[in-house]
Amino acid sequence: MWQQPSVEQVFLQYRQTVYRLALARLGNSAAAEDAVQEVFLRYVRKAPVFREAEHCKAWLLRVTVNCCRSARTTAWARHTVPLEDTLTAPPIESLGVFDAVQTLPPAQRVVIHLFYYEGYSVREIAQMTSATEATVKTRLHRARTALRNLLDTE
């Protein structure tokens, strides 16, 4: 039988997972840190009770996706230009796998992260991101193709 852990235990166990997903979704470490804070504030406010640890993790990841979606639609986000757009891009030869994933569009970064790093199935990713399974499969295919092209040039 699974026993509900304390807020501190949940934070220590899942903070890196939530941060990595937020970073994959937002592409900015400062915004990702803000999203992590918001996710755990919501966890404290709602105080959800789960039947098992996997439900807790899925809830946190779902809230992370929602927080990132909200963060991208704020007036601040709509009226700012990412710093990366104003800088010259590093040569493709110097890109590692993580850097190559970061060059993907946000929707593709998220599905790659959830599929490969977190181990979720296509169906679970579709539920978390409010997309259809076909959309998730398409994003995975396009992301894999783009990564293959980027990494083959190295």
Side-chain angles (χ1 to χ4, degrees):
M1 178 129 230
W2 187 72
Q3 184 177 357
Q4 185 81 17
S6 69
V7 173
E8 182 180 4
Q9 290 170 328
V10 170
F11 176 75
L12 292 175
Q13 183 174 0
Y14 296 113
R15 68 180 177 201
Q16 290 298 322
T17 302
V18 170
Y19 175 78
R20 287 191 309 262
L21 177 57
L23 182 61
R25 183 79 174 133
L26 298 171
N28 178 335
S29 62
E33 290 170 3
D34 290 344
V36 170
Q37 288 179 5
E38 181 62 28
V39 167
F40 285 103
L41 278 174
R42 289 184 187 186
Y43 180 79
V44 169
R45 286 184 194 134
K46 298 285 183 186
V49 177
F50 304 106
R51 293 181 303 222
E52 56 188 41
E54 191 59 33
H55 289 135
C56 181
K57 182 179 178 182
W59 186 90
L60 289 170
L61 292 177
R62 179 68 190 152
V63 172
T64 303
V65 168
N66 290 339
C67 285
C68 292
R69 185 177 294 138
S70 296
R72 295 182 72 209
T73 60
T74 63
W76 174 261
R78 286 192 313 263
H79 298 299
T80 59
V81 177
L83 183 61
E84 293 80 23
D85 290 347
T86 62
L87 299 175
T88 59
I92 296 295
E93 299 82 34
S94 67
L95 290 179
V97 174
F98 178 78
D99 294 328
V101 170
Q102 291 303 103
T103 64
L104 296 173
Q108 292 177 7
R109 281 196 310 255
V110 169
V111 295
I112 289 290
H113 177 80
L114 290 173
F115 190 79
Y116 289 107
Y117 293 108
E118 301 301 331
Y120 283 101
S121 69
V122 170
R123 175 175 288 156
E124 292 168 328
I125 295 169
Q127 290 171 345
M128 285 182 203
T129 59
S130 300
T132 64
E133 289 183 39
T135 301
V136 171
K137 289 177 184 178
T138 300
R139 288 176 183 166
L140 274 170
H141 175 73
R142 289 180 180 164
R144 288 178 188 137
T145 302
L147 288 172
R148 190 176 304 115
N149 292 337
L150 277 173
L151 297 173
D152 280 348
T153 59
E154 282 186 27

